[in-house]
Amino acid sequence: SSELTQDPAVSVALGQTVRITCQGDSLRSYYPSWYQQKPGQAPVLVIYGKNNRPSGIPDRFSGSSSGDTASLTITGAQAEDEAVYYCNSRDNSANQWVFGGGTKLTVL
Amino acid sequence: QVQLQESGPGLVKPSQTLSLTCTVSGGSISSGSYFWSWIRQPAGKGLEWIGRISASGSTIYNPSLKSRVTISIDTSKSQFSLNLSSVTAADTAVYYCASAYFGSYFDYWGQGTLVTVSS
């Protein structure tokens, strides 16, 4: 399958923990990467590999995977974390890379 | 730190070819560690991977666009380019170029350039 499925929208209270999920067959074989996109800006890589953060990404962002589902967890969400989050993975059946549809995170 | 900058026409007529160039600075486009990608995003919608090229010129394209896409690279100019033929209004989007470390994840992105397909 060449699809990655994400919930369209998730909300979290300020300071609480939120999990954003990504589901797809390819995740059984490949770790996803996660991107944060704020309005009018290019996406920014926040998690890659098993659970790696690029330099400058706060440690409240973490990633995990189990079976066909991967998760991006924000522990202690901040107002500046409000954004759309996309997962991305190599497609298991075709030589291509696929993005999930994105999850809009609202911090209340 | 690698920086990428897209350039090209912001308006393309239907049935014509969309052509964009991405200029890479702060790193070597010839690095064997990187693949160079194009990604697009229609207004209000999600991201779509278009394709990628290696420094040696090896390409992989999104199957849904493969018949219309050509990605090329000019290492002497530190540039790689996207050509998308026979465009329609559905190709209107912000087009991003990005570097993909060993092809696994997109670590650096350009700011994006809006291309509108309209007569």
Side-chain angles (χ1 to χ4, degrees):
Chain A
S1 171
S2 60
E3 291 186 356
L4 294 176
T5 301
Q6 297 183 244
D7 291 329
V10 170
S11 62
V12 61
L14 184 66
Q16 297 303 300
T17 297
V18 63
R19 179 173 294 178
I20 297 169
T21 61
C22 175
Q23 185 175 26
D25 287 342
S26 62
L27 301 181
R28 297 183 184 276
S29 304
Y30 303 104
Y31 289 116
S33 50
W34 290 93
Y35 303 86
Q36 176 193 70
Q37 187 179 36
K38 297 181 179 180
Q41 297 183 19
V44 172
L45 176 69
V46 295
I47 292 289
Y48 64 95
K50 188 174 183 180
N51 180 20
N52 300 296
R53 283 175 291 106
S55 175
I57 300 301
D59 62 4
R60 63 179 178 270
F61 289 88
S62 63
S64 61
S65 288
S66 179
D68 69 349
T69 301
S71 299
L72 172 70
T73 300
I74 306 174
T75 303
Q78 302 299 302
E80 59 264 32
D81 299 334
E82 189 162 287
V84 179
Y85 291 85
Y86 294 93
C87 59
N88 174 266
S89 173
R90 183 170 181 170
D91 182 2
N92 207 23
S93 59
N95 206 10
Q96 64 167 326
W97 278 256
V98 180
F99 285 95
T103 297
K104 180 174 174 57
L105 175 66
T106 299
V107 179
L108 303 172
Chain B
Q1 175 166 323
V2 176
Q3 294 183 311
L4 301 99
Q5 178 68 58
E6 305 89 351
S7 59
L11 181 64
V12 181
K13 295 184 186 312
S15 80
Q16 294 191 342
T17 296
L18 178 159
S19 296
L20 296 174
T21 296
C22 182
T23 301
V24 179
S25 60
S28 174
I29 199 171
S30 299
S31 170
S33 301
Y34 279 96
F35 292 83
W36 306 98
S37 296
W38 288 98
I39 295 158
R40 71 180 182 178
Q41 184 173 38
K45 297 188 177 181
L47 301 166
E48 180 180 33
W49 178 79
I50 298 171
R52 75 172 203 192
I53 190 166
S54 69
S56 65
S58 174
T59 54
I60 303 174
Y61 300 131
N62 185 324
S64 69
L65 298 169
K66 188 175 182 178
S67 63
R68 300 193 292 129
V69 172
T70 302
I71 298 176
S72 58
I73 192 166
D74 186 339
T75 56
S76 68
K77 294 182 178 179
S78 289
Q79 294 177 334
F80 63 105
S81 299
L82 169 69
N83 278 357
L84 180 65
S85 64
S86 304
V87 298
T88 69
D91 295 309
T92 294
V94 174
Y95 285 75
Y96 296 99
C97 57
S99 59
Y101 186 70
F102 283 109
S104 296
Y105 53 86
F106 305 103
D107 51 354
Y108 297 104
W109 296 64
Q111 66 185 22
T113 188
L114 174 62
V115 179
T116 301
V117 178
S118 175
S119 55

